[in-house]
Amino acid sequence: PEKSSLWQAYDLIKTKKFVDLTHSFSPDIPHWKGFEPENVTTLFTFEKDGFWAQQFCHVGQWGTHVDPPGHFSEGKRTVDLIRPEEMLLPLVIIDVHEACEQDPDYVLTMDDVRGWEVRHGQLIPAGSFVAMRTDWSHRWPNTDAMD
């Protein structure tokens, strides 16, 4: 039987390079000082229960996560209202890591956006996910460097 277009897309995607941008959770990962550290409790063990399960307690904005519009603006959509198809988007990365080395509080500007468009010979495609490359990941997991 002929493959559906979804399987064809998967066959193409699986040949591409995947980049994991996540960090492992732990109680001592850098986090905003207003949040308590993560608490991990082992609820079941192989020896006693035949399986292993842990309970993780932390705020929703812990580690790698999605900040929906409702995180910053009252009345806007929360993550449960974001449709799955909205989570797979073309990625545009605007590299401002050199500016961030000079100013750790650097804010992306329209000149940065226009610079990307000039370098790539196109406007940022509508519906793209635009990410700002800061290289702050190199500071991980040094809590002092993250402040």
Side-chain angles (χ1 to χ4, degrees):
E2 187 175 323
K3 286 187 175 183
S4 70
S5 61
L6 184 58
W7 281 111
Q8 291 168 333
Y10 174 73
D11 284 342
L12 175 63
I13 291 169
K14 72 180 181 181
T15 67
K16 303 304 177 185
K17 179 181 178 181
F18 284 71
V19 178
D20 183 359
L21 299 176
T22 62
H23 294 287
S24 297
F25 278 20
S26 76
D28 59 348
I29 65 170
H31 59 279
W32 183 58
K33 302 295 187 242
F35 296 151
E36 293 293 323
E38 173 191 43
N39 182 27
V40 180
T41 305
T42 300
L43 302 174
F44 300 94
T45 65
F46 287 111
E47 297 78 20
K48 183 178 174 206
D49 307 296
F51 68 101
W52 184 65
Q54 291 183 307
Q55 177 177 298
F56 297 82
C57 294
H58 52 76
V59 298
Q61 288 70 33
W62 190 266
T64 303
H65 63 280
V66 173
D67 272 333
H71 177 69
F72 294 102
S73 300
E74 188 174 354
K76 299 293 184 180
R77 291 192 306 164
T78 52
V79 74
D80 59 311
L81 298 176
I82 298 174
R83 297 183 319 273
E85 59 269 23
E86 293 179 88
M87 299 298 281
L88 182 62
L89 303 169
L91 176 63
V92 170
I93 300 171
I94 299 180
D95 184 353
V96 293
H97 80 278
E98 290 177 356
C100 293
E101 287 175 6
Q102 303 303 314
D103 177 4
D105 295 321
Y106 185 80
V107 176
L108 194 71
T109 68
M110 284 306 299
D111 285 341
D112 297 317
V113 172
R114 289 184 197 100
W116 184 95
E117 292 175 336
V118 167
R119 283 189 300 283
H120 292 85
Q122 66 177 24
L123 296 176
I124 292 177
S128 294
F129 182 97
V130 178
M132 177 176 155
R133 177 183 169 193
T134 64
D135 278 359
W136 270 57
S137 60
H138 297 294
R139 300 169 182 232
W140 190 269
N142 182 335
T143 301
D144 292 334
M146 300 296 284
D147 282 340

